[in-house]
Structures are given as structure tokens and as C-alpha cells.
Amino acid sequence: MKGALFIFALLAAISPARMWEMADSLYSEDRCAEAVEILGDAIPQIRASADSVLLAESLSTLASSYFRLGAYNLAVKAQKEGYEIDLALGDDSAVSSDLNNLAAMCISAGEYGQAQAFILEGIALEERLGRPENLAGRYGMARGAFGEGGKSVF
């Protein structure tokens, strides 16, 4: 407990960007509960800073951490918010990644209709962008949305 208090006191003196970096590193190490805790402190500060790019990245890390923890509804909520920010920023690459992540999260939650809508939007975006390697990945995700649990429309 004493160590945790020291870490939280330390976090108070760390910039929100550095807190996101720490959380992202913890996520990479599969220490997702710790990443969620740090992001819970960082995200309000990032919102106050109006750094939309950092906020979208932080929400994506939060969503991915929730996903690994099996909290699919929280994951989808965080990822949707990040998606909306990336969409407003016009970051097509991030939007495509968001859509793929949302589809994966919805498949895991058994929300196949939502997964299908997200992945079809992602496929359309990748077709417009002309990135065949990403398009192939989106088609792979579509297989999960339409073929495994969802009713196929093809």
C-alpha cells in the first residue's frame, strides 16, 4: 500500500503525456489494471489541456486495456469516444484503426450487428485510401463479424 501511495504522489507531478506513455507501456506488458488506474488520473487532465490527439491516443489505450480485462462495454465506450475525436481531426489512419478495434470489441461482446457496421465502414475507408494491406486486415475482421457469430449477408 505504501508503494502505491508513492506512485500516485509521483503521478501528480508527472505530465499527462508522460502518464499516457507509462500507461501505454503497462498495457504492452499486459498490466492493464494498472494502465486503467493511471489513465483514470491522466484523462481528465488531458481533457483540460485540450490536446485532442493525446486524448484520442489515451482513450484507445484505455479501451484496449479494458478489452484485455474483459470489460467490453467500457472498452467500446472509450474506443467510440476516441473514434469521434479521430474523425473530427480527419485522421483517416486512426479512424480505420478505431473501426477495426471497435469491431473486435463488439465481436467479443457478442454485438455482431454493431461489429458489422464498424467493419463495413472500415472496409469502405480502406478502399478509399487504397491501402491493400490494411484492407486485407479489415476483411479478416469482417469474417469474424459476419461468419463466426453474425449472420452472413454475403
Side-chain angles (χ1 to χ4, degrees):
M1 182 69 150
K2 190 175 187 181
L5 291 175
F6 173 75
I7 289 172
F8 286 112
L10 201 63
L11 287 176
I14 297 174
S15 74
R18 181 67 183 118
M19 290 171 73
W20 169 75
E21 290 172 359
M22 291 170 59
D24 198 53
S25 178
L26 289 166
Y27 165 77
S28 296
E29 296 170 10
D30 206 23
R31 295 169 59 190
C32 297
E34 293 168 87
V36 166
E37 285 185 52
I38 289 173
L39 289 167
D41 291 333
I43 287 175
Q45 294 178 47
I46 296 167
R47 285 185 202 286
S49 77
D51 185 339
S52 297
V53 173
L54 181 58
L55 180 57
E57 289 173 347
S58 297
L59 289 165
S60 183
T61 301
L62 180 63
S64 296
S65 296
Y66 278 140
F67 181 74
R68 282 194 183 166
L69 293 169
Y72 301 128
N73 290 337
L74 293 172
V76 169
K77 180 180 177 188
Q79 193 68 59
K80 278 184 179 177
E81 186 178 352
Y83 161 78
E84 293 295 333
I85 293 167
D86 288 332
L87 197 60
L89 291 171
D91 187 343
D92 287 338
S93 183
V95 167
S96 179
S97 180
D98 293 335
L99 290 166
N100 197 63
N101 290 344
L102 282 163
M105 292 169 185
C106 289
I107 289 168
S108 294
E111 299 291 337
Y112 297 103
Q114 283 188 326
Q116 292 165 359
F118 289 130
I119 203 58
L120 289 174
E121 187 178 344
I123 287 169
L125 177 58
E126 287 301 336
E127 286 175 341
R128 183 174 59 79
L129 296 174
R131 300 188 310 187
E133 68 285 353
N134 286 7
L135 185 58
R138 301 307 173 257
Y139 278 121
M141 184 63 67
R143 182 172 185 215
F146 288 98
E148 293 174 11
K151 296 193 191 288
S152 180
V153 296
F154 296 110

